[in-house]
Amino acid sequence: MEISPKDFSEIRWRGHWIWAPEEPIEPRGFWTEGINPANREAHVLFRKTIVLESVPSRVPARVTADSRYVLYVNGHELMRGPIRSQPRRLFYDLVDLAPALRPGLNVLAVYVKYYGRAQSFWMPAVPNNTLGRRGMLVFEANLGRAGWIVSDESWRAYKADAWSDEGRSGLSHGDGIPVEVFDARRLPANWREPSFDDRAWGAAQVVRAMHIGGFARSQPPTDPYGPLWPRPIAPLTGALQSPARLTMTVLDGMVDQTLPSPIARVRASCHLPIVAARDNVTLPLTLNIPSAGAMRITFDMGRIVSGLTTFSLRAPAGTVIDVSYTEEPLRADVSMDKMSAGMRYIARGEHDEFEAFESNGFRYAHVLVHQATEPVTLTRFGVRELLYPWVEGANFCCDDDAINAIYQAGRRTVALCSHDTFIDCPTREQRAWVGDGVVHQMVHLATNCDWRLARHFLVASNAPRYDGILPMTIAGDLEASGIYTIPDWSLHWIHALYNLYWFTGDRELIADLLPTARRILAWFAPYQTQIGVLKDVPEWTLVDWAAVSNEDCSASLTALWARGLREFAEMAGWLEEYASRRWAEDLYRRVVAGFEVFWDEARGSYVDHIVNGEQRPEMSQIPGAAAIVAGLAPRERHARIIRAITDPQRVVVRSWLGNGCGEQSMERWQAQVQRGQYEITWDVEREVVKAEPFMSYLVHDAVAQAGFADLLPTLYRAWSQFLVDGYDTIGECWDFGTHVHGWSCTPTRDLIFYTLGVYPATPGYTVARVAPRPGPLKWLRGNVPTPRGLLAVTVTPETVTIESPIPVVLDLPGQAPRQLTAGRHTVAR
């Protein structure tokens, strides 16, 4: 029987908050101490020994920590967490201990890492006088007749000094993805095993909430962590990935030991003379390290991977392994848009088997080996991937292998960017950008039979500022900083809510989240002019990395707001919240009336913006596409707009940040930030700026809604540019950025929604719409997830065959839509 919250008492936990005895936590104030911006990392090990006469058939347990933990039972990893969250809605994990227990002596061991300062995926709690100041662990498990195991003073605890937080010193990205620095000499290899003697460790410290109204309570729920919530999504998992190719380089010269960062050391090694190099070496690999030099081994994984680096070696104690992770082959100069991640391992001299705690994405691991007094043998290297699981069954294929490769690349990319919520990329930031996630979500809805992460993304992002708008990223350093936001990202969040409305029909969830949608839409209302368009919206109106002009009155931002108003009104009406629907409809009607000011009759689409009351000539794909999807463009204009914004003779790739050489330009970025200067490098009177891969989702929506979905397979081919040199993932932008960005995977969604043509016909997917538009493709075949099972569609030149668990509305060109019952049907095209 699956472990559930019902296995535990209501509200109050039996387990206590505990921490290391080396860090006594005493109250220092009356109201609160406040966040310490200089907080340092802490690494605490816990052990609890139990003796069992017999093992129950199930042992429900739950556990959480501030910031992250790994739970081991008798030396074997059983669970890690908690998932990303704001501290006042901290999640806990449920697990059954029974399979890992045995009669006799058993040991529970927990490693807790407290980050101290905000990271890209963690934000500190505002502490009371005790809880929230440092890390915390709470645990409880029901052994049945043998009683309960709870975290308390009977646990042994030890603050370890084997880890250091010096690894990010001097890096341009500052705090973000942690760089793990681990000295194995300072930690016994068997600390997790029953055989380890922990008598030298102290008793765990029980920490009580100290604040007015806290009642000195040491058991959850307490401030600042709230009620604690059960994990709503599946644990991350994945296969062990092995390198595809190894290269060994012998370097002449000492590694600069004054550089604290392992990434900086590896980068500096690029300047050392090369004595010898060997390609296609294999493991095990013995290295004879020069007394005045080093050796660098590059592990090419063959594609982007994401997870925990694991390796084993035989080396003398004190041997230093500095690692830098990169998406591309190593070079000394790394621009601002490339990742900075890595780790350091200092060998113990025995039992040197290591698995990283931090998850990183990369293709190349550059391993710099130095400070070795004897030969070093690397026996194993790999990556244990940690990704959100893809429930098999959903699939797509067609007669065009290039299109099939794009579909698979989109799935792989989104999987790499699906951790405990949707992240931009695993290699550079691992931030949960609120707007990016809308594409990840739609790919999940189209291709994964598990929709829990598609739901959780919205719930986790439901973190409005006091003025109603959402932060740029959630549960990380940017939200914690209170920095300005990207207003249009909140509008994509509303579209993601609209997606859930159609796919799940979950009235309770939509009703819970709709008030946030209203506050977002209301945030924009003060910037609506008398004619109805938005003007001078502050903060960072990004819209896209493409060179979209948004100064003064922005057509793109106005249309995205209008789409949000329209979708909100529909959801409010569905929930019978008629006053809210009327409010949104009134604002929307004003936009419809005023949007005409952006229309360019001569060019057949809408310009980007109006400045000082005058229409400017800059035009990108996005305003025309957004006008269609928001219902602002009259139907008779749709064909003209689509022709104008997809004409290959007019569409050009331009970005405000790209330097034309595959990277971002710091100079152009500074010109925008410091002087408000945006350099135009195209013919604004004739050319149309192409949307980057992210906002291509909106462009493709418009193409399909205008009745031109047959054009989409031709448009998908642009994504083939990413699938070169062994990469099987989709990149960030057309001419710069990372090789793996979930927001870029529009074609994978579109191949299901528009090419195979499967989409809900009613909220909750009680009826499906099947409207295949193969365009130049000869045949299509796919299995599509619905709440009631897979819906299978096969399209040939002659027929469409459907096998569906739900009723279907079949829409074929030149034929009247027909209603089909659940079951199998074959219809002539």
Side-chain angles (χ1 to χ4, degrees):
M1 184 187 303
E2 185 176 350
I3 307 301
S4 80
K6 294 180 181 179
D7 286 300
F8 302 90
S9 59
E10 290 188 286
I11 315 301
R12 185 178 299 182
W13 285 47
R14 290 176 171 83
H16 301 264
W17 293 111
I18 59 174
W19 192 234
E22 294 89 346
E23 289 191 346
I25 299 176
E26 301 293 340
R28 296 180 182 174
F30 182 75
W31 289 103
T32 181
E33 180 175 323
I35 293 175
N36 178 6
N39 240 345
R40 303 293 297 272
E41 284 183 4
H43 306 261
V44 176
L45 313 178
F46 297 91
R47 284 172 54 94
K48 174 67 176 177
T49 301
I50 56 174
V51 177
L52 297 175
E53 292 184 4
S54 61
V55 177
S57 59
R58 60 195 298 271
V59 179
R62 59 179 177 174
V63 55
T64 194
D66 184 357
S67 311
R68 297 288 188 270
Y69 77 88
V70 184
L71 167 66
Y72 305 91
V73 178
N74 294 326
H76 300 287
E77 179 181 324
L78 208 60
M79 181 62 74
R80 62 174 56 222
I83 63 173
R84 180 194 307 253
S85 64
Q86 291 85 0
R88 290 196 181 279
R89 48 184 179 189
L90 184 64
F91 290 90
Y92 65 84
D93 295 298
L94 294 159
V95 63
D96 186 0
L97 302 186
L101 297 172
R102 59 198 181 201
L105 183 69
N106 294 268
V107 166
L108 311 181
V110 185
Y111 164 44
V112 175
K113 179 174 183 177
Y114 176 67
Y115 290 108
R117 290 170 289 181
Q119 307 290 328
S120 60
F121 53 80
W122 177 80
M123 59 188 290
V126 176
N128 53 54
N129 291 308
T130 49
L131 288 171
R133 280 172 40 192
R134 300 299 284 160
M136 291 291 141
L137 170 71
V138 64
F139 175 93
E140 61 186 28
N142 186 358
L143 289 168
R145 287 182 296 177
W148 284 79
I149 314 170
V150 300
S151 50
D152 57 18
E153 299 95 333
S154 67
W155 288 52
R156 310 300 289 174
Y158 169 66
K159 183 183 178 183
D161 60 358
W163 287 269
S164 167
D165 63 356
E166 67 178 5
R168 294 202 63 83
S169 299
L171 294 181
S172 60
H173 282 289
D175 289 323
I177 299 175
V179 176
E180 199 165 352
V181 175
F182 177 70
D183 188 342
R185 297 171 299 181
R186 308 192 66 82
L187 186 68
N190 67 334
W191 75 270
R192 298 167 295 193
E193 304 291 338
S195 59
F196 177 72
D197 185 356
D198 60 17
R199 286 177 294 179
W201 292 14
Q205 170 190 190
V206 170
V207 183
R208 301 179 182 278
M210 294 292 184
H211 61 90
I212 189 167
F215 303 104
R217 188 175 296 141
S218 60
Q219 298 161 296
T222 59
D223 175 80
Y225 302 115
L228 303 190
W229 298 88
R231 183 188 192 117
I233 56 176
L236 305 184
T237 187
L240 181 67
Q241 303 289 335
S242 299
R245 187 184 188 94
L246 280 67
T247 302
M248 181 181 70
T249 305
V250 183
L251 303 172
D252 183 18
M254 300 297 292
V255 174
D256 188 351
Q257 300 294 307
T258 66
L259 296 172
S261 164
I263 299 99
R265 290 184 181 181
V266 173
R267 190 178 304 165
S269 76
C270 295
H271 301 294
L272 295 177
I274 295 175
V275 176
R278 286 174 52 198
D279 199 3
N280 292 323
V281 296
T282 58
L283 295 179
L285 176 63
T286 298
L287 311 172
N288 295 296
I289 311 299
S291 58
M295 299 186 76
R296 190 174 63 227
I297 301 92
T298 294
F299 294 90
D300 178 0
M301 303 305 293
R303 62 177 183 165
I304 303 290
V305 297
S306 180
L308 308 180
T309 300
T310 177
F311 57 80
S312 58
L313 67 155
R314 295 190 296 272
T319 300
V320 178
I321 311 293
D322 281 310
V323 183
S324 178
Y325 303 122
T326 65
E327 289 189 343
E328 297 177 355
L330 184 65
R331 68 179 194 271
D333 58 317
V334 178
S335 72
M336 62 175 287
D337 69 326
K338 302 299 179 186
M339 43 69 74
S340 297
M343 55 84 58
R344 176 178 299 133
Y345 179 84
I346 302 176
R348 184 182 287 113
E350 60 179 358
H351 307 298
D352 280 304
E353 297 189 354
F354 176 74
E355 182 177 83
F357 178 75
E358 307 293 355
S359 180
N360 280 292
F362 61 93
R363 174 168 173 176
Y364 298 93
H366 309 283
V367 179
L368 188 65
V369 186
H370 55 107
Q371 305 299 306
T373 58
E374 299 173 11
V376 174
T377 300
L378 284 169
T379 58
R380 179 177 58 86
F381 185 92
V383 175
R384 178 163 70 99
E385 288 205 313
L386 287 181
L387 310 175
Y388 195 78
W390 230 262
V391 175
E392 293 302 319
N395 54 57
F396 172 87
C397 63
C398 66
D399 62 287
D400 190 315
D401 288 340
I403 297 294
N404 292 333
I406 291 169
Y407 171 81
Q408 294 295 342
R411 279 183 48 146
R412 172 69 179 168
T413 303
V414 171
L416 287 163
C417 297
S418 299
H419 285 192
D420 43 19
T421 187
F422 299 135
I423 62 173
D424 58 344
C425 58
T427 58
R428 187 179 69 200
E429 294 183 33
Q430 297 186 15
R431 288 188 173 96
W433 293 84
V434 170
D436 298 26
V438 67
V439 175
H440 305 61
Q441 181 210 43
M442 290 186 289
V443 171
H444 268 258
L445 293 171
T447 69
N448 192 353
C449 295
D450 180 354
W451 289 352
R452 284 178 293 176
L453 193 57
R455 293 171 182 261
H456 179 65
F457 149 66
L458 275 161
V459 175
S461 302
N462 182 28
R465 279 186 337 200
Y466 53 83
D467 59 350
I469 202 75
L470 299 179
M472 284 191 286
T473 72
I474 55 100
D477 50 357
L478 296 186
E479 182 183 358
S481 73
I483 194 174
Y484 55 79
T485 191
I486 304 176
D488 33 309
W489 261 220
S490 294
L491 299 175
H492 293 295
W493 183 89
I494 293 175
H495 188 62
L497 180 62
Y498 187 71
N499 291 334
L500 277 195
Y501 152 68
W502 274 100
F503 279 79
T504 70
D506 187 333
R507 288 185 177 271
E508 182 177 356
L509 179 61
I510 304 304
D512 283 347
L513 298 179
L514 203 64
T516 296
R518 175 163 179 161
R519 287 194 293 269
I520 291 167
L521 295 168
W523 184 91
F524 288 88
Y527 306 104
Q528 189 179 28
T529 66
Q530 291 183 1
I531 68 168
V533 302
L534 296 179
K535 178 179 173 63
D536 293 337
V537 175
E539 307 195 40
W540 182 14
T541 53
L542 172 60
V543 176
D544 195 19
W545 282 130
V548 183
S549 297
N550 293 309
E551 184 186 3
D552 206 326
C553 292
S554 166
S556 299
L557 198 59
T558 299
L560 288 171
W561 185 51
R563 181 188 67 172
L565 290 167
R566 194 185 195 199
E567 293 175 343
F568 175 87
E570 182 179 334
M571 291 185 285
W574 179 67
L575 291 172
E576 299 180 351
E577 297 182 9
Y578 299 120
S580 292
R581 184 179 71 180
R582 286 192 298 270
W583 168 83
E585 288 174 341
D586 288 344
L587 291 172
Y588 177 77
R589 278 191 290 268
R590 290 179 58 194
V591 179
V592 173
F595 199 77
E596 185 68 13
V597 297
F598 297 109
W599 177 249
D600 186 330
E601 175 62 26
R603 298 165 70 188
S605 189
Y606 296 87
V607 299
D608 281 357
H609 65 157
I610 292 170
V611 179
N612 296 325
E614 295 184 4
Q615 189 183 95
R616 297 279 300 177
E618 295 91 348
M619 179 181 288
S620 65
Q621 289 183 322
I622 295 171
I628 291 174
V629 301
L632 302 175
R635 185 74 193 180
E636 59 271 17
R637 288 181 180 172
H638 287 189
R640 287 190 67 195
I641 294 171
I642 298 303
R643 285 196 299 269
I645 68 175
T646 61
D647 182 353
Q649 302 302 314
R650 298 170 61 185
V651 174
V652 295
V653 173
R654 293 290 188 277
S655 171
W656 296 127
L657 290 182
N659 66 0
C661 300
E663 296 179 356
Q664 291 187 29
S665 166
M666 178 59 76
E667 292 75 19
R668 298 184 76 187
W669 181 285
Q670 290 175 336
Q672 295 163 37
V673 172
Q674 297 173 4
R675 299 183 296 277
Q677 295 175 350
Y678 293 79
E679 182 184 4
I680 292 177
T681 60
W682 66 98
D683 182 351
V684 294
E685 301 289 347
R686 190 185 69 86
E687 293 178 322
V688 176
V689 173
K690 184 176 184 177
E692 293 288 350
F694 170 52
M695 282 299 278
S696 294
Y697 97 80
L698 188 85
V699 174
H700 291 192
D701 282 347
V703 170
Q705 290 180 33
F708 296 94
D710 282 331
L711 295 178
L712 291 176
T714 301
L715 299 181
Y716 302 153
R717 298 188 186 283
W719 275 257
S720 292
Q721 74 171 63
F722 298 111
L723 307 182
V724 296
D725 300 328
Y727 295 97
D728 63 351
T729 49
I730 305 298
E732 182 177 4
C733 296
W734 300 122
D735 60 349
F736 67 89
T738 74
H739 285 274
V740 52
H741 233 74
W743 77 348
S744 297
C745 298
T746 286
T748 299
R749 171 207 74 160
D750 293 346
L751 283 163
I752 302 302
F753 290 0
Y754 298 136
T755 303
L756 196 65
V758 181
Y759 194 82
T762 56
Y765 232 139
T766 54
V767 178
R769 177 179 180 266
V770 177
R773 299 294 187 270
L777 302 176
K778 295 181 176 64
W779 58 266
L780 314 168
R781 183 169 61 247
N783 290 301
V784 181
T786 78
R788 293 161 186 80
L790 291 170
L791 191 161
V793 178
T794 300
V795 181
T796 71
E798 296 80 25
T799 62
V800 174
T801 299
I802 300 169
E803 190 161 355
S804 174
I806 54 178
V808 168
V809 176
L810 180 60
D811 180 354
L812 297 175
Q815 301 182 26
R818 66 189 76 188
Q819 307 285 330
L820 303 176
T821 60
R824 182 181 176 87
H825 305 270
T826 298
V827 178
R829 291 182 61 188

